[in-house]
Amino acid sequence: MTIKVGDKVPAATLTAADITLTQQVTEPLRRYRVAVRGSGQAFDDPAMLLRNETGRPVQVSMDLEWTTVGRPYQYRITPRYEIPCTVSGSVTIDGTTHAVRGVPGQRDHSWGVRDWWAMDWVWSALHLDDGTHLHGVDVRIPGLPPVGIGYVQDEAGLTELQSVQAEEAFGPDDLPVSTTLRLQPTGLVAAAEIIAHAPVRLESTDGRVSQFPRSWARITMADGRTGVGWLEWNRNR
């Protein structure tokens, strides 16, 4: 099936024992909706997830739509795209609803098999108050030099990055504290101050473990600009 911009795509729904998930491409490359309802767990200490501990049960639902606000970007070395977006909708946890209205966000899509335990990386999607969008991933494959991919999108257009260098600091609980990103050839330097955590523990069928901390951050650029961002660190342990 070929999907063109302007086509309406039927929603896809997945139902399991304790969760129902619906995804719909409302408008290809422009609007994308996700609705989910089911049982979850809440953690007072986010590091509990990395330690494979159990949280308290909660009922969770969300209905969110991602709306494109920048230029879709396809990676130059692998089939994957990244799109800066705004996100609107609602998230309800144990009866308390949180409204989301036009907050900065990101949408990506990748094809094929991903081996979470073969390499480390630092992924970032940053959105500055002046409307600039930055995306970068610092890929670390054993035995190879680092690979940097990403972009800077602003009023001048899209500049593809050739190098992304991440310098991260972690606490004793294995949660990130801060990260500095150096984006070349633009010369931009971004400092991320972590605000909130959403880590995941990834365990392969053969027992390998990767810690996948993810965080919402306050961004300060070396040139004085500010914004917010989402970062992810894949760390094989």
Side-chain angles (χ1 to χ4, degrees):
M1 180 175 65
T2 300
I3 300 173
K4 300 178 181 179
V5 173
D7 290 349
K8 188 173 180 60
V9 182
T13 299
L14 174 66
T15 300
D18 57 356
I19 188 172
T20 299
L21 170 69
T22 299
Q23 299 184 16
Q24 183 174 17
V25 182
T26 310
E27 188 176 1
L29 296 179
R30 292 180 179 172
R31 290 190 296 146
Y32 193 94
R33 179 172 173 262
V34 176
V36 63
R37 179 183 301 274
S39 302
Q41 296 183 29
F43 298 83
D44 295 320
D45 175 8
M48 293 171 63
L49 288 107
L50 298 180
R51 298 192 295 266
N52 204 28
E53 299 176 7
T54 302
R56 64 182 185 277
V58 293
Q59 291 299 307
V60 180
S61 64
M62 76 175 191
D63 191 337
L64 299 173
E65 186 172 67
W66 280 253
T67 300
T68 297
V69 293
R71 175 179 167 183
Y73 167 75
Q74 181 170 328
Y75 279 17
R76 65 181 184 272
I77 61 174
T78 187
R80 177 190 180 102
Y81 67 73
E82 296 278 351
I83 305 178
C85 300
T86 57
V87 185
S88 298
S90 64
V91 178
T92 301
I93 303 173
D94 267 357
T96 300
T97 298
H98 307 270
V100 179
R101 294 289 180 269
V103 301
Q106 188 86 357
R107 185 162 65 83
D108 65 39
H109 185 96
S110 56
W111 293 262
V113 176
R114 179 179 300 182
D115 189 344
W116 299 86
W117 306 275
M119 67 191 76
D120 292 356
W121 65 76
V122 181
W123 181 99
S124 61
L126 315 181
H127 309 277
L128 304 185
D129 296 335
D130 68 355
T132 300
H133 305 288
L134 306 97
H135 161 67
V137 59
D138 178 354
V139 182
R140 302 156 182 180
I141 303 173
L144 296 177
V147 176
I149 308 169
Y151 60 72
V152 174
Q153 295 193 35
D154 54 23
E155 292 182 349
L158 186 149
T159 300
E160 186 173 36
L161 301 178
Q162 303 300 319
S163 172
V164 178
Q165 295 179 323
E167 301 170 4
E168 62 270 27
F170 284 82
D173 57 2
D174 286 328
L175 291 174
V177 176
S178 64
T179 293
T180 298
L181 300 168
R182 304 182 186 279
L183 311 176
Q184 300 297 345
T186 66
L188 293 174
V189 179
E193 176 192 356
I194 306 307
I195 300 173
H197 300 280
V200 176
R201 174 187 169 96
L202 303 171
E203 187 167 344
S204 71
T205 55
D206 60 13
R208 290 176 295 165
V209 173
S210 177
Q211 291 184 348
F212 192 48
R214 309 172 301 163
S215 299
W216 186 244
R218 181 180 296 110
I219 304 302
T220 302
M221 305 297 294
D223 59 18
R225 290 179 293 169
T226 58
V228 295
W230 180 260
L231 293 92
E232 301 176 344
W233 302 258
N234 191 49
R235 307 177 75 207
N236 284 274
R237 312 306 286 169

